[in-house]
Amino acid sequence: MPDKDWWRQAAIYQIYPRSFKDANGDGLGDINGITSKVEYLQSLSLDAVWLSPFYPSALADGGYDVDDYRNVDPNLGTLEDFDNMVKALHKVGIRVFVDIVPNHSSNRHVWFQEALASPPGSKARDRYIFRDGKGKNGELPPSDWISHFAPSAWTRTKNPDGTPGQWYLHLFAPEQPDFNWDNREVQLDFLETLRFWSDRGVDGFRVDVAHALKKDMTRLNRSIKSLDSFKIVQDGTDTLFDRNDVHTIFREWRKVFDEYDPPRVAVAEAYVRAPRRMLYAKPDELGQAFNFDLLIADYDAKLFKKIITANLKLAKSEGSSSTWVLDNHDQVRHATKYGLPKGTNLKEWLLSDGASVKLDRKLGLQRARAASMLLMALPGCIYIYQGEELGLFEVEDLPHSALQDPHWTRNVEIKSVKTPVKGLAFIHTEKGRDGCRVPLPWGKNGQSFGFSAGGSHLPQPKWFADFAVSVQSGVKNSTLELYRKALALRKKYQSTEDLTWVKTVDPEVLHFARENGWHCIMNFSGKVYKLPVGKVLIASGPLKDGKLPKDTCVWIKVD
Ligand code: BGC
């Protein structure tokens, strides 16, 4: 009988398809590229891979602007390639998650095109959120709401005869119109999409901005000048985020998941505070939700312990298992974050191309390796982002002309400047997320370090050569071998979803025991720490005379 609980403590690897591996030499990663690396994925003892969007898209937001939810971008392959990839992964016991982007489609989606060509009040327009503008001639947006990638969350349309028309809502880029989730046709269409991929053998779904689908559009008079969904009221009555009625959608999705054997699973990207986040992870909804608490936390023993304890308790209370994440395609890589002085403003640091504060790469990587090992020892599900297993840093100094992220291209202010010449200039206020999306280095040589027979859609820095898969493979203590070994051990030892904290004499040292005598001990910033008696299974860095130095994590088997 298929194991319906396989996901509870799974190791899931996030693939950003356009930057993973290119099989056809056009500089863009593709589906066949993934298939060609099944053996590599297998070497990481993974339970599943999650593919960021690979659907047809004009890439206004890295593929999170979907033209067609039930197809593969022709630049990345075909549905047949996709089926072959699933087959190849399943053959070696790796399951597949796809990314579902339900809050918005792209502006090239047939429905949005139909809506633009249809009159106000039409059925076609009701699938999205169209409103008349304010002002004498509707020239002002319906509300002052801002969007993530542009000053306003509203863009005005043109009527077919060229005159200015209604406005439509987009919480992200103007190329990403928000769906109207009160519309039954929208609801049913997503059920069809879930079935479409499930029928093709897809095992699970990552649900993009799950907390934003329902909005209270009767509140246009309420001002919204911040989209920080962590700061909203925590009772499900906010205008845009985490509304109580969003859960009816996911309860309906669960019914579709349960049509399959084993039931399909899902993980919510619900960027809200811990207790509310868990509502998405209820067994009758998505089952799991990303926990970004450690990803946004400082490197701090006390904080880590608090977050771990709280999340394990919360997950249990909702019948889910906790998830652990340090990196993804939206965040500065953790090897970089941990190498910057505490309190560094990452946004400013990125905007300075890394010049404003000195990065200590050695320290960053040492801490990143230790923290990853700690996470891998925790009960629950771990999500690993491609390249993390190579110890990649953020590429903070990508040439500006190469940047693709709407955070960079769209967040621009006109400011007066003194250099290079005095006057007004367009100043970018966000650098964006391209620095963690640079194509992977597979080999030491070649124009794209083995990523492609051709180039690479984002330029790779020279230092990628030292981090290539071929350079680290088989090399004792390389970050890749550390991940391989730790993930294999994790699989071997874990069983229950509990841990027991073991008291330490130094608060900078965290120590917990799992089942089967498996202990994890991490020294954050303390003095060299004496280890309990046991066999060292793996350590993130060298021990000092058998003791645990700071910024190091060790797993011990105690009999
Ligand atoms: C995805 C981002 C994307 C946004 C809009 C997010 O949460 O992870 O990459 O820009 O949703 O779809």
Side-chain angles (χ1 to χ4, degrees), residues 61 64 101 104 149 172 176 206 208-209 269 329-330 433 437:
D61 179 19
Y64 284 87
V101 189
H104 43 264
F149 301 139
F172 293 87
Q176 295 168 292
R206 178 259 188 195
D208 193 60
V209 279
E269 186 215 26
H329 66 295
D330 291 331
R433 304 158 294 180
R437 300 175 178 183

Side-chain angles (χ1 to χ4, degrees), residues 472-506:
Q472 299 194 41
S473 231
V475 175
K476 205 171 164 223
N477 299 328
S478 68
T479 304
L480 176 57
E481 291 304 336
L482 182 83
Y483 268 71
R484 281 180 173 154
K485 191 169 171 190
L487 287 164
L489 283 167
R490 173 184 187 275
K491 215 169 208 166
K492 176 170 166 195
Y493 283 107
Q494 74 184 357
S495 55
T496 72
E497 289 177 26
D498 296 310
L499 63 68
T500 313
W501 289 107
V502 180
K503 212 170 152 32
T504 60
V505 288
D506 185 344

Side-chain angles (χ1 to χ4, degrees), residues 230-265:
F230 263 57
K231 296 208 178 122
I232 58 173
V233 280
Q234 299 294 304
D235 62 0
T237 64
D238 183 70
T239 308
L240 296 181
F241 298 123
D242 192 33
R243 294 185 54 74
N244 288 330
D245 51 352
V246 80
H247 295 284
T248 53
I249 299 171
F250 301 129
R251 281 194 279 272
E252 190 165 29
W253 287 24
R254 169 54 56 188
K255 290 195 183 118
V256 173
F257 300 154
D258 288 348
E259 288 167 8
Y260 295 85
D261 185 21
R264 298 322 188 219
V265 299

